[in-house]
Amino acid sequence: KALGLLELRLELPADRGCSEAGGGVCFRRMTTVSLTGTASLLHNNLACSASGWAACVHNSVNAGGGKLLLTHTGGPSKDGPEVSQAMSIRYLELTTGPVLVVSSTNGTQVYNEDASAMLVYVPITDAGTDTDTLKHHQGACLVPALGHIVIGTSSGSIIPVAAVPSFMALAECPPSAATHAVADVCFSEITNMVVSAHS
């Protein structure tokens, strides 16, 4: 079985012992780890938490064959939960700690940092009859002031999920005009708005 290789670089600011002139950031430590499988060719198929966990997705053409691949800096790699055709993966830093958000053709699963426990599942609710469009969730961001995770959908809408003090999916927010599937979402602190990009 072929194993994937992942090269992790830890960046430290200059005031923490790194002496690269001018740039302020340099690579202090580089580690290569072997994963338990190969990473799929997805956009942004690598997520890292602030405490050193890294996760990526291995999608499979076989039903139930996809999985999360995880490693912790300085530790062994491990298989995470099975996933169904993952579309995006991202760590979000909540006030209660990091969570791993995996969006797929099955909806969105939010896991604890090492993916050993699922915290909430948000299913696909699109009841549309368009059989030419693959129904999925894609992209996730955090609105820190509210403690909400925002998820993009294939129908072009976004779904807010209250994450603090407990997880609860809120009402889906449809787009204001006809649009395509959400490709990604991000929160702009300057405008205090969630921005969605559509494919």
Side-chain angles (χ1 to χ4, degrees), residues 38-187:
T38 56
S40 294
L41 297 175
L42 295 173
H43 292 289
N44 301 317
N45 188 14
L46 177 62
C48 298
S49 72
S51 61
W53 278 95
C56 62
V57 173
H58 169 82
N59 281 327
S60 176
V61 294
N62 301 322
K67 62 184 173 183
L68 291 175
L69 308 173
L70 295 120
T71 189
H72 191 268
T73 305
S77 297
K78 71 174 195 166
D79 285 350
E82 289 186 356
V83 294
S84 174
Q85 192 60 43
M87 303 296 285
S88 65
I89 183 170
R90 188 162 293 152
Y91 274 105
L92 298 176
E93 302 287 335
L94 302 178
T95 56
T96 56
V99 293
L100 179 61
V101 183
V102 181
S103 297
S104 70
T105 57
N106 194 34
T108 296
Q109 294 84 21
V110 179
Y111 296 97
N112 63 346
E113 186 176 20
D114 68 355
S116 60
M118 185 175 9
L119 305 173
V120 69
Y121 167 65
V122 181
I124 292 176
T125 57
D126 182 6
T129 58
D130 182 6
T131 58
D132 292 337
T133 302
L134 177 66
K135 293 176 179 31
H136 64 277
H137 289 171
Q138 185 166 344
C141 68
L142 176 66
V143 180
L146 298 175
H148 288 180
I149 295 171
V150 178
I151 302 164
T153 73
S154 56
S155 65
S157 63
I158 57 174
I159 302 172
V161 176
V164 177
S166 61
F167 290 93
M168 181 176 65
L170 304 173
E172 189 167 334
C173 302
S176 58
T179 188
H180 298 283
V182 172
D184 206 353
V185 292
C186 69
F187 176 71

